[in-house]
Amino acid sequence: MSHDAFITETDIKGADDGPLADRTVAVKDNISTAGVRTTCGSEMLADYVPPYDATVVERLKDAGATIVGKTNMDEFGMGTTTETSAFGPTKNPVDESRVPGGSSGGSAAAVAAGEADIALGSDTGGSVRCPAAFCGVVGIKPTYGLVSRYGLVAYANSLEQIGPLASTVEGAAEALDVIAGPDERDATTREAGADTDYASAADGDVDGLTIGVPTELVEGADERVVETFEAALDDLESQGAEVKDVSLPAVERAVQAYYVIAMSEASSNLARFDGVRYGPDTDAEGNWNESFAAVREEGFGDEVKRRVLLGTYALSAGYHDKYYAKAQDARAWLKQEFDDALSEADVLASPTMPVLPFELGESLDDPLQLYLADANTVPVNLANLPAISVPAGEADGLPVGLQLIGPAFGEREIIRAASALE
């Protein structure tokens, strides 16, 4: 298969009938598949074969889907370009000199290239929505707790959700219908309420819908992105939606708060990769600490090491209150501001990404640039809200995504609004 979207190709057939019986699905390589290698894009897990399926994989099989492969990703989900994968980068099918976004870049590329009808990604700070925007497809980040995380290799537990990607809003919503719902193996899952038929919401009816535009998520974006975004808003207005400005001042601190929290949780989660519980055996001599260090030095890439070190520092004695506690305070303020904004509007809208897709290799030497590129997506994860990225048009021949954000378990509203742009 082209574009290097897949790490492992498969042909796992599901039930003979079901809502996805005629669909092919690609699964991000941090989601467990029984008997099929699950690497997380890392040398640390290059030979790891899970003995069980993730809940979402079980549900896809029961719905009749055929799983065609495990997709490439930034190592352990840490990246915005799918270039930190130990197996090499994935190319953007729209322009092979560009990145597909990340960390679920392989999933988005597989859908954009027509190599899968649907794909699953995981979204910790935009990792479904960013590649959806860069590859010109649809990606949904569900409300925290709507989709089971059982079988997802953890990066940052309080932030991440598994979400679908597809070429259409309805296609992504149909996949969400299958994978959503409580799971006794994941205590964070919750009932979403009575009306959970997501595909039926893709009816394109936005007449009377109020769309709030957080000015802070538009300011500073590339002019070409803003122009395409505003044209899409004009389209929604012409269909009967009302567009108004709203304010989210706390997003100014969102990226800093997100990376403190995410890296702290990552440093804890990745402690299990020690060559004993998970990871390759090592011939390193010396005591346990020396062996532990040798396995991690060999198995982890630079970006994972950077985030584990920063997270460990933020949680260390004397610094927990200075960094981690303050980041949680900022998160609480941001949640309140989202609640206030969504009391004035039915959904919120912004560019998904403030920039056009990077060229391959362009941003690898500047981690801070990549962190700041997440400015529009990470606030949604901090607030545990649902969001969708839908193609808004093109700028200089490259896709631009429009992000719609809803209240908790308001997936139907964002799906309805997104479908009006198709």
Side-chain angles (χ1 to χ4, degrees), residues 81 83 99 358-370:
T81 64
E83 291 176 291
V99 301
F358 303 108
E359 292 184 2
L360 285 164
E362 174 186 347
S363 52
L364 282 177
D365 296 329
D366 190 355
L368 185 58
Q369 179 191 2
L370 289 183

Side-chain angles (χ1 to χ4, degrees), residues 315-407:
L315 291 176
S316 59
Y319 293 97
H320 179 279
D321 289 344
K322 185 176 181 180
Y323 295 110
Y324 187 75
K326 285 185 177 179
Q328 292 290 10
D329 288 342
R331 183 178 192 175
W333 277 110
L334 182 65
K335 283 184 176 181
Q336 184 58 54
E337 288 187 2
F338 266 113
D339 289 343
D340 293 343
L342 286 164
S343 70
E344 301 176 35
D346 299 309
V347 298
L348 306 178
S350 77
T352 307
M353 298 297 290
V355 293
L356 296 173
F358 303 108
E359 292 184 2
L360 285 164
E362 174 186 347
S363 52
L364 282 177
D365 296 329
D366 190 355
L368 185 58
Q369 179 191 2
L370 289 183
Y371 297 168
L372 293 174
D374 296 333
N376 288 9
T377 53
V378 298
V380 177
N381 298 77
L382 288 169
N384 295 143
L385 298 176
I388 186 170
S389 179
V390 61
E394 292 186 347
D396 294 347
L398 297 170
V400 173
L402 181 143
Q403 174 178 238
L404 291 157
I405 306 162

Side-chain angles (χ1 to χ4, degrees), residues 15 21 50 61 69 72 88 94 102 105 121 143 188 224 233 266 292-293 299 306 317 333 336 341 354 381 388-389 399:
K61 288 180 176 179
N72 199 17
V94 178
T143 304
T188 65
R224 297 165 294 178
L233 289 182
F292 178 80
R306 181 182 296 115
W333 277 110
Q336 184 58 54
N381 298 77
I388 186 170
S389 179

Side-chain angles (χ1 to χ4, degrees), residues 4 14 16 23 70 120 140 150 157 166 226 268 307 362 381 390 394 397 412:
D4 303 312
D16 291 336
R23 310 293 178 84
K70 305 296 295 292
L120 293 187
I140 299 175
Y150 177 77
N157 308 59
V226 173
S268 176
R307 296 194 191 198
E362 174 186 347
N381 298 77
V390 61
E394 292 186 347
R412 281 180 58 86

Side-chain angles (χ1 to χ4, degrees), residues 53 112 143 154 167 217 222 260 327 351 360:
D53 279 328
T143 304
S167 58
L217 298 183
D222 185 295
V260 169
L360 285 164

Side-chain angles (χ1 to χ4, degrees), residues 197-235:
D197 183 355
Y198 302 114
S200 69
D203 58 15
D205 181 10
V206 292
D207 190 27
L209 188 78
T210 302
I211 301 173
V213 179
T215 53
E216 295 85 355
L217 298 183
V218 181
E219 295 168 356
D222 185 295
E223 290 182 5
R224 297 165 294 178
V225 170
V226 173
E227 185 177 326
T228 308
F229 168 70
E230 290 178 342
L233 289 182
D234 290 342
D235 184 6

Side-chain angles (χ1 to χ4, degrees), residues 83-97:
E83 291 176 291
T84 69
S85 170
F87 304 96
T90 295
K91 303 181 185 71
N92 190 327
V94 178
D95 180 344
E96 292 196 355
S97 69

